[in-house]
Amino acid sequence: MNMDPLGMYPDHEIWEAPEQCQLKAIVSSLLKLLDSSDEATASIDSATDAILHNTIRKEFLGCTVAHRVPTITDSDMVMVLSDGMFSFTTCV
């Protein structure tokens, strides 16, 4: 649910994400939480958060995929979602 809410990807592709973020062992130990509706990155420590966002920047170069201000500082465009409506903002 957290990693593929629309059920579009096979398990082997989904497992590539935590492996690239150096989180596969931790995620494997918490399998029952994968189907929860909690925010996926709400309770991780700052070192793990840094690894996660560095991986996102590397793997999604040219895409904006973040939702916290520190993770979008090097982005050139941001999508803002408010009350079910979205708009794009160009960063300078």
Side-chain angles (χ1 to χ4, degrees):
M1 173 82 180
N2 278 322
M3 297 179 74
D4 184 22
L6 300 177
M8 297 175 56
Y9 300 95
D11 285 354
H12 74 275
E13 288 185 22
I14 293 171
W15 277 107
E16 289 177 13
E19 187 171 3
Q20 290 174 343
C21 296
Q22 302 172 27
L23 296 172
K24 186 174 182 179
I26 294 169
V27 172
S28 295
S29 70
L30 302 171
L31 282 177
K32 65 182 178 186
L33 297 178
L34 286 179
D35 287 326
S36 71
S37 59
D38 300 335
E39 166 58 44
T41 60
S43 299
I44 60 176
D45 61 87
S46 59
T48 303
D49 190 59
I51 291 169
L52 175 67
H53 290 288
N54 284 335
T55 302
I56 289 170
R57 283 186 184 103
K58 176 184 166 192
E59 296 298 322
F60 293 95
L61 188 63
C63 300
T64 301
V65 295
H67 67 283
R68 296 183 194 145
V69 172
T71 61
I72 61 171
T73 56
D74 57 355
S75 299
D76 58 0
M77 184 177 287
V78 177
M79 182 178 76
V80 178
L81 179 63
S82 178
D83 296 322
M85 304 294 290
F86 68 89
S87 61
F88 291 95
T89 302
T90 303
C91 303
V92 288

